[in-house]
Amino acid sequence: PTYTQEPTQDGERLITLRRTGDVQLVSCAFRTVAGSHDDDAPLSVLATLMSDAPSGRLYKALVETKKASNVGGQGLQLRDAGMWVLLMEVRKESSVDDARDTLLATVDAVKTTPFTSEELERARNRLLSGIELQFNNSEQMALSLSNWASMGDWRLFFLNRDRLKQVTLADVQRV
């Protein structure tokens, strides 16, 4: 059983860490549901819709405009409530503040510019193809099943696959 409790999330937090190097990293994390929750599948689709190259909205807004050199996103599937993370790499000579503002504006724009069914199908097919490819690699399959087992039951792997097949645009907009 979990013996610690997550502190109340009462607002946005901004942390800046400065180190030497050639690449700046910006990450936005949002609290989400446990990996076994019904909403985990739409959150996985949302991460793909936002960060997939070259069709993701963050890719188009940040990489194609040269504000960032790379973008990514994923939901951290955990036994308890987890995080949904978007991140980007920004070259040293580029403005990290401009890139961060563009990232946040692109996320906010999802409220007013819904995803299309074509975008949904592309993201869903990419995720389902990744699951199918795991069946060809026993090491990947074992790792995946053990990850799902750590969330409560190895059969969640198959339940999640089935949930991905059923994700709708309304589900993605809601999460």
Side-chain angles (χ1 to χ4, degrees), residues 40-61:
D40 184 66
L43 285 165
S44 295
V45 171
L46 179 59
T48 302
L49 286 166
M50 294 301 287
S51 63
D52 196 31
S55 60
R57 292 193 178 179
L58 289 175
Y59 186 89
K60 290 179 180 294

Side-chain angles (χ1 to χ4, degrees), residues 23-26 63 67-72 87-91:
V23 178
Q24 303 172 96
L25 179 69
V26 177
V63 177
K67 291 181 180 183
S69 57
N70 193 18
V71 295
L87 55 95
M88 64 180 161
E89 294 177 2
V90 181
R91 289 182 182 89

Side-chain angles (χ1 to χ4, degrees), residues 137-151:
N137 183 321
S138 58
E139 180 181 0
Q140 284 299 311
M141 200 60 206
L143 286 170
S144 191
L145 289 173
S146 66
N147 284 337
W148 286 102
S150 73
M151 288 180 254

Side-chain angles (χ1 to χ4, degrees), residues 20 23 38 71 88 93 124 165:
T20 58
V23 178
D38 290 346
V71 295
M88 64 180 161
E93 62 274 2
R124 183 194 348 252
K165 291 176 182 177

Side-chain angles (χ1 to χ4, degrees), residues 14-164:
L14 177 64
I15 299 167
T16 303
L17 177 63
R18 299 193 195 299
R19 297 224 172 139
T20 58
D22 295 335
V23 178
Q24 303 172 96
L25 179 69
V26 177
S27 179
C28 293
F30 304 88
R31 295 283 297 157
T32 60
V33 297
S36 60
H37 195 278
D38 290 346
D39 283 346
D40 184 66
L43 285 165
S44 295
V45 171
L46 179 59
T48 302
L49 286 166
M50 294 301 287
S51 63
D52 196 31
S55 60
R57 292 193 178 179
L58 289 175
Y59 186 89
K60 290 179 180 294
L62 292 160
V63 177
E64 288 183 1
T65 62
K66 308 246 187 274
K67 291 181 180 183
S69 57
N70 193 18
V71 295
Q74 76 177 61
L76 300 179
Q77 296 165 317
L78 305 169
R79 181 180 188 92
D80 298 318
M83 290 192 311
W84 188 74
V85 181
L86 297 172
L87 55 95
M88 64 180 161
E89 294 177 2
V90 181
R91 289 182 182 89
K92 189 174 184 176
E93 62 274 2
S94 298
S95 167
V96 73
D97 292 331
D98 185 35
R100 184 191 64 238
D101 292 345
T102 301
L103 182 144
L104 295 173
T106 304
V107 170
D108 285 341
V110 169
K111 297 174 195 168
T112 56
T113 311
F115 295 102
T116 66
S117 36
E118 179 184 292
E119 287 176 300
L120 173 64
E121 285 305 311
R122 186 172 38 243
R124 183 194 348 252
N125 289 340
R126 181 174 178 101
L127 291 167
L128 290 171
S129 294
I131 289 172
E132 292 302 316
L133 287 173
Q134 287 183 27
F135 288 112
N136 297 329
N137 183 321
S138 58
E139 180 181 0
Q140 284 299 311
M141 200 60 206
L143 286 170
S144 191
L145 289 173
S146 66
N147 284 337
W148 286 102
S150 73
M151 288 180 254
D153 191 331
W154 61 269
R155 293 172 293 190
L156 287 167
F157 173 87
F158 299 100
L159 181 60
N160 181 64
R161 178 194 59 189
D162 296 343
R163 286 175 177 166
L164 283 171

